[in-house]
Amino acid sequence: MTAAELLEDEDGVSAGETVFEASEGNGTIVDSGRRTAALVLNEYRLAVRSRWAAALTAIFALFSLLILTFSGASVGPAGFERIVASLVNLAVYLLPLAALVFGYDAVVGHEDSGWLDVLFALPISRSQVVIGTFIGRGIVLVGATAIGFGVSLPFLVRDFGASVIPTFGFFVFAAIGVALAFFAIAVLVSSVVSEKVYALGGVLLVWVWFTLIHDLLALGFVAAFDLPSGAIVSMIVSNPADVFRVLALSRLEVGGGAGFAAVIAQTDLSMNTLLASLGAWIVLPTALAAVLIRRRRL
Amino acid sequence: MEIKIDDVTKTYGDVTALDDVSFDVERGSTFGLLGTNGAGKTTLIKLLVGLDRPDDGRIRIGETDVATAGRTVRELVGYLPQRIGFPSKLTGREVLRFTARTRRIPKAKWQERVPDVLDTVGLAGAADRNIGGYSGGMRRRLGLATAILNRPPVLILDEPTAGLDPEGVAEYHHVIEEITDRTDSTVLFSSHVLSEVESLCDSVAVLHGGELRASGTVEGLTESVGSGVTVRMRVDDVGTAATIARRHGDVSTSDDSVVVELAEASVSDLIGDINETVDVAGVDVERPGLETIFHDAVEIGDIGEVPA
């Protein structure tokens, strides 16, 4: 078929008229949803084909099984809780790092390849590009976290019985939450920086801040000053890694961590506050990225 | 669908990328946007497709004001960016399906059109291969396929043949000629290859340093820069030939040639007069073309607007 035949419709009407008429419904929620769904599917497909899904699942499963094998757990509830506490202590470092590295090139990487120019040339909003990217890759991250850590569940049930399922399930749920929170931060960084190398540097600084420095500073403040409960709560909710730690340990009898985690146990943080703050850590960076990407110059 | 650009100015910090630029592109025409690197071509194209907003002035595509239409304008425009890339893990067919979904082409139609478009741009045989294995030319052809997939009334192509080999350029020209000859689509493309623009375009605009230096039909602009021609004659006696030539026009000489600028009607008289006296080894006659227009616009300054 020639280019001219392509650009004429069945009645020989000139190019574009049919499409223009069909575009009258442009802007409806359904229409917007369909376009976002196309972006989600595309991002999901890319993440799976680039082997991120397999790599993340394998890493999480490997560490999960290593903890299970070498935690020295005894039979009984205390043994199970020790395993979960060990998993929390591992996940609080591993999940943020994996999510940040997974997401740092979500937007800026597309600009590097020239794909962002193509996306921005389509009749989709820039915010949709961010949201579609977040959801598409996020599905892969959720799947990898659930499967990677969930692979331990049959062994835990075998050793400790089916009663461990709710507690372990809640741990996986919290793990998914913290992974998405750090992934959202990575998408935000990726949306505002101009080069991939800056994005990588940025997310590594984010990781160092939230998993190392923030905790140490918070502990220092708690040790040095007689802080009110509200201040401690603020310190916790201002760090998604701490929110995850508190959430995941809240169902256990044993304290999973020393230092700041021990202080956390003395606060009156409600489950709803923790869940809401983790949700905010997922939604707010993504929303901010969706707004700030409008200023991006190609 | 016509394009109207009125008094458009765009600055980035202290740099004026476009300075009060105005011109029209007629419906169904092929329009060339000429300029050296940094002239403002890509800036103008980004404003045309709504990827940026002018600081001042207005751009309309048909009745649509680009600045206020948002993404709707990209429903009307098939756009090929200068820098184009695709995820290496997708196939050409998948990219077109994705494009069709985002352009809200009904499934029944895109199932029919995607193979046709792939065939048109010569990618039917590579449609199911990962784009990672595509050459630069194949990627640009895929870019053109995404631009024409929804039959847009306006096609805007930013340096579409940059980086293509001669065969790829010829194929690209063929597709553009097909579109412009047989449809009512308006095609605007930027280039700094003068021969490409001269062979494909009805009208041109020349940008330089963000200023519009010339716009109008190629013929109109050619006439505006003068009706004279340049005759270069290789002769055995340069001095005598120069003396005769001065009776017909402005003369300059080199070791074996006389170069005369004169009215086209006087060319045969000039050649006849010189041929009577000295031996002429060869004659070249140069008429002003796009190269002259471009040179005058860039080097001399504003050569004005010639109505279509």
Side-chain angles (χ1 to χ4, degrees):
Chain A
M1 184 174 273
T2 66
E5 284 165 351
L6 271 172
L7 289 167
E8 286 172 355
D9 68 13
E10 294 76 5
D11 304 317
V13 175
S14 68
E17 289 178 8
T18 311
V19 172
F20 189 39
E21 285 165 15
S23 302
E24 284 175 357
N26 186 25
T28 65
I29 293 171
V30 173
D31 180 40
S32 187
R34 281 183 184 153
R35 286 174 163 154
T36 307
L39 283 159
V40 168
L41 178 65
N42 209 48
E43 279 301 321
Y44 171 80
R45 191 177 273 159
L46 286 172
V48 170
R49 288 187 188 169
S50 61
R51 299 188 184 144
W52 265 110
L56 288 173
T57 307
I59 289 168
F60 296 155
L62 176 71
F63 279 98
S64 172
L65 292 171
L66 280 174
I67 293 278
L68 191 68
T69 308
F70 297 110
S71 64
S74 57
V75 175
F80 165 72
E81 292 191 353
R82 198 174 298 136
I83 289 171
V84 175
S86 300
L87 282 172
V88 171
N89 281 334
L90 167 78
V92 83
Y93 295 101
L94 180 64
L95 279 170
L97 184 62
L100 288 166
V101 172
F102 179 52
Y104 86 94
D105 69 342
V107 174
V108 75
H110 285 336
E111 181 169 358
D112 257 20
S113 70
W115 180 232
L116 203 60
D117 296 62
V118 179
L119 291 177
F120 285 1
L122 294 169
I124 47 181
S125 71
R126 294 185 178 200
S127 303
Q128 279 177 303
V129 171
V130 167
I131 292 164
T133 302
F134 176 79
I135 298 173
R137 284 200 187 196
I139 290 169
V140 169
L141 186 60
V142 168
T145 309
I147 297 168
F149 285 100
V151 79
S152 302
L153 185 60
F155 301 103
L156 290 169
V157 170
R158 183 195 64 192
D159 293 344
F160 303 105
S163 62
V164 302
I165 292 175
T167 305
F168 189 76
F170 190 75
F171 157 73
V172 173
F173 170 74
I176 288 170
V178 74
L180 285 177
F182 278 93
F183 177 61
I185 294 169
V187 171
L188 172 60
V189 172
S190 191
S191 299
V192 296
V193 301
S194 56
E195 289 181 34
K196 263 169 87 168
V197 67
Y198 298 147
L200 184 58
V203 298
L204 290 177
L205 285 175
V206 167
W207 182 77
V208 168
W209 168 257
F210 282 123
T211 59
L212 302 174
I213 297 173
H214 184 279
D215 233 20
L216 285 174
L217 285 177
L219 191 59
F221 274 110
V222 170
F225 307 104
D226 185 18
L227 295 175
S229 173
I232 297 173
V233 169
S234 301
M235 285 181 191
I236 295 165
V237 298
S238 63
N239 184 346
D242 280 339
V243 174
F244 160 70
R245 196 185 338 234
V246 177
L247 266 177
L249 296 179
S250 64
R251 295 239 172 166
L252 305 179
E253 293 294 325
V254 296
F260 195 50
V263 176
I264 289 164
Q266 298 164 16
T267 66
D268 53 356
L269 262 174
S270 72
M271 183 65 75
N272 286 344
T273 306
L274 290 167
L275 289 173
S277 66
L278 197 54
W281 272 108
I282 297 168
V283 172
L284 291 180
T286 310
L288 194 57
V291 171
L292 292 179
I293 199 171
R294 293 177 196 163
R295 296 183 185 178
R296 191 180 187 94
R297 274 186 62 196
L298 291 177
Chain B
M1 198 167 268
E2 74 280 5
I3 301 171
K4 285 186 173 292
I5 297 163
D6 295 321
D7 308 320
V8 167
T9 297
K10 180 70 187 175
T11 56
Y12 296 108
D14 296 335
V15 178
T16 303
L18 290 171
D19 187 9
D20 203 24
V21 170
S22 300
F23 62 86
D24 295 345
V25 181
E26 280 191 358
R27 175 184 174 143
S29 66
T30 308
F31 194 93
L33 201 52
L34 281 168
T36 52
N37 290 332
K41 304 187 297 292
T42 297
T43 300
L44 181 58
I45 282 178
K46 283 182 176 171
L47 299 181
L48 278 167
V49 294
L51 291 178
D52 211 341
R53 288 185 177 203
D55 299 331
D56 205 4
R58 195 156 86 135
I59 297 174
R60 277 174 297 161
I61 295 180
E63 296 304 314
T64 306
D65 186 329
V66 172
T68 55
R71 70 187 183 202
T72 309
V73 73
R74 294 195 289 279
E75 296 267 13
L76 306 174
V77 174
Y79 168 53
L80 177 72
Q82 184 178 2
R83 209 171 65 89
I84 191 164
F86 301 96
S88 59
K89 301 287 182 187
L90 293 182
T91 67
R93 192 186 305 278
E94 285 171 339
V95 165
L96 289 182
R97 282 181 184 165
F98 168 73
T99 304
R101 288 192 184 108
T102 58
R103 287 195 174 279
R104 298 186 312 117
I105 301 172
K107 190 176 180 181
K109 281 205 170 182
W110 66 248
Q111 281 180 330
E112 196 179 295
R113 286 182 64 76
V114 165
D116 290 343
V117 171
L118 285 164
D119 186 40
T120 300
V121 298
L123 287 176
D128 296 310
R129 272 168 45 195
N130 274 352
I131 295 167
Y134 280 22
S135 67
M138 291 166 82
R139 286 169 203 233
R140 288 205 79 73
R141 278 186 277 153
L142 181 60
L144 181 63
T146 63
I148 64 175
L149 185 65
N150 69 323
R151 293 200 301 247
V154 176
L155 260 182
I156 295 179
L157 314 170
D158 195 357
E159 301 201 9
T161 55
L164 294 184
D165 58 27
E167 195 180 341
V169 170
E171 283 175 13
Y172 226 99
H173 287 180
H174 179 67
V175 173
I176 292 172
E177 279 168 348
E178 279 270 337
I179 292 166
T180 54
D181 289 351
R182 293 183 47 190
T183 75
D184 206 13
S185 290
T186 307
V187 179
L188 180 148
F189 71 91
S190 69
S191 180
H192 40 65
V193 182
L194 300 178
S195 58
E196 175 175 86
V197 174
E198 195 154 24
S199 69
L200 293 173
C201 296
D202 313 312
S203 305
V204 297
V206 182
L207 290 172
H208 186 67
E211 293 175 357
L212 182 71
R213 292 291 180 85
S215 70
T217 61
V218 176
E219 287 137 16
L221 285 169
T222 305
E223 283 170 19
S224 75
V225 295
S227 57
V229 295
T230 303
V231 178
R232 181 184 299 275
M233 303 177 75
R234 288 186 301 283
V235 293
D236 64 346
D237 183 350
V238 172
T240 306
T243 304
I244 298 166
R246 283 194 186 94
R247 299 204 293 266
H248 296 274
D250 296 332
V251 176
S252 59
T253 59
S254 64
D255 287 346
D256 64 344
S257 299
V258 177
V259 179
V260 191
E261 289 181 17
L262 72 172
E264 189 163 12
S266 307
V267 171
S268 56
D269 292 343
L270 168 75
I271 295 171
D273 286 356
I274 291 180
N275 216 11
E276 280 176 11
T277 315
V278 298
D279 286 338
V280 178
V283 179
D284 293 321
V285 180
E286 289 175 18
R287 289 175 178 79
L290 206 50
E291 195 171 339
T292 314
I293 296 167
F294 186 73
H295 175 267
D296 286 3
V298 170
E299 299 297 327
I300 299 168
D302 191 352
I303 62 170
E305 184 179 350
V306 177

